[in-house]
Amino acid sequence: MAFSRRLFAKALVGAGSIPLAGMALDAMRGAGDDAPSAGDRSASTAGRADVTSDSPGEPRNQPSSPADRTFSLGARRAGEGGTPLDSTTQYLYNRRYPAPELRVPAGDTIQVAVENDLPKGTGTTVHWHGVPVPNEMDGVPGVTQDPIPRGESMTYAYEASPPGTYMYHSHVAQQMDRSLFGPLVVEEEEPRLDYDREVVVFVDDYLAATPPTEENPDVPLYDGIVVNGRLPDDPQEVGVTAGERVRFRFINGASAGVFDLRLAGHTLKVTHADGRPVDPVQVDFLRFGSAERYDAVVEFDNPGAWELAATPVNAGDLGDPEWGRLVVDYEQSSASPQSPRGSPTRLDRSMLRAVERYGHVRGSPDREYGLTLSPGDDGAWLMGGQRYPDADPLSVSPGDHVRVTMRNESEMYHPMHLHGHFFKVGHAVRDTALVAPGQQVTFDVYADNPGEWFFHCHNQYHLASGMARVVSYDRQA
Ligand SMILES: [Cu+2]
């Protein structure tokens, strides 16, 4: 079993020689990053739906009452028997790992009653990752709400829109790494792609122990990469028929893992990134970080038994867990599953082109922020040289076009997530951007959802060590 501080800060070799620039925007300009494209109001996108709001001073997705759908989630400690993964250190919604899929038609108002039955003294919240909810429904302790105390409940309500593949999870401490998470699917009225059925694939780095803290970092690391709640030695089998087209909704529910996802014997036609539709692009595999999602259609035209593999890119940081898998089995196949091989094509950010229009970000931005992503002293992780909560908010006004440039000055991946908004990165529209070691990424965002919004690394250990800021609307429009 691995014991280490690896989930916490790991500096670049010789990092002391690199200035921890707080707002060194000039140094970041023109450094060959993925600059966002201009407005894209071209013939090919004219008349298409705009994913930004036309009322930037109004909260997005306000619920109508009564709700169209109601759900209830009970957060409890596991370990009362049941599954082989039922560790007493896990917390579960409705005793399920991962939690039940919430599936709703786009435009419906949903109400989710969350009951906190966790151990004494443990508060909780639920965050609806990627959905631009009204600010008070966003589930961030200390920013949008106080945690729900043990023994009490709270009802979250919002309009489920736009359609897409999302996830929900606790935003308190390391509760996500204790398994308080699940898929959230908002269905299109009419999917713009052809497929026969759907399979949701939820990938997690499975921790059977109390999550490490900064005070007590020396605990066992991950026991394996889990796909749809199954450890690698007992993978889920999905039966398929030759000629069938399956829409996969891949969700990275890991707290630290970055995975390469590949299906042996087949290619992935990627159709959505973070729930937002893209022009379909055919690849052999894709790499995704915590909380990123991809939809991909697979045409099953190669009979046999094949592995869908989730291989951690940062395995050393996770304690070298066995890679995750799911087995796809054609009818009447008695073959043993084959693993992916060869030198394949990986999905690159530059291949993603949004189908929807992202309006209001033409020309030069109203505000610009440059933020280094870097390790600090004593295991800290910093954005722009500051450690949350001792960090300045990033001010915006309703209707602003804001440009954010992030430069990763570390050897670790940082999946950076902005709450309450979509942003434009390259030609794609997303809510999470994976910033690779040494890489620089720029996104443009239209400030169309007033409130106080968390912006942070989705690696739960980097977040806990300070890698966060609050984007703060400074006035009403
Ligand atoms: Cu990070």
Coordinates of all heavy atoms in Angstrom, one line a residue, residues 413-414 457 459 462 467, ligand 1:
Y413 N -1.5 18.0 -13.3 CA -2.7 18.5 -14.0 C -3.6 19.3 -13.1 O -3.8 18.9 -11.9 CB -3.4 17.3 -14.6 CG -2.8 16.7 -15.8 CD1 -1.9 15.7 -15.7 CD2 -3.2 17.1 -17.1 CE1 -1.3 15.1 -16.8 CE2 -2.7 16.5 -18.2 CZ -1.7 15.5 -18.1 OH -1.2 15.0 -19.2
H414 N -4.2 20.3 -13.7 CA -5.2 21.1 -12.9 C -6.5 21.2 -13.8 O -6.5 22.0 -14.7 CB -4.7 22.4 -12.5 CG -3.4 22.3 -11.7 ND1 -3.4 21.8 -10.4 CD2 -2.1 22.7 -12.0 CE1 -2.2 21.8 -10.0 NE2 -1.4 22.3 -10.9
C457 N -9.5 24.5 -8.9 CA -9.1 23.3 -9.4 C -10.0 22.2 -8.9 O -10.3 22.2 -7.7 CB -7.6 23.0 -9.0 SG -7.0 21.4 -9.6
N459 N -9.2 19.0 -8.7 CA -8.5 18.0 -7.9 C -8.8 18.4 -6.4 O -8.5 19.5 -6.0 CB -7.0 18.1 -8.2 CG -6.2 17.1 -7.3 OD1 -6.4 17.1 -6.1 ND2 -5.3 16.4 -7.9
H462 N -6.0 19.7 -4.3 CA -5.5 21.0 -4.7 C -6.5 22.1 -4.2 O -6.1 23.1 -3.6 CB -5.3 21.1 -6.2 CG -4.3 20.1 -6.7 ND1 -4.0 20.1 -8.1 CD2 -3.5 19.2 -6.1 CE1 -3.1 19.1 -8.2 NE2 -2.8 18.6 -7.1
M467 N -6.4 26.1 -3.9 CA -6.4 26.4 -5.3 C -7.8 26.8 -5.8 O -8.5 26.1 -6.5 CB -5.9 25.2 -6.1 CG -5.3 25.6 -7.5 SD -4.4 24.2 -8.2 CE -3.1 25.1 -9.0
Ligands
CU1 CU -5.0 21.2 -9.4

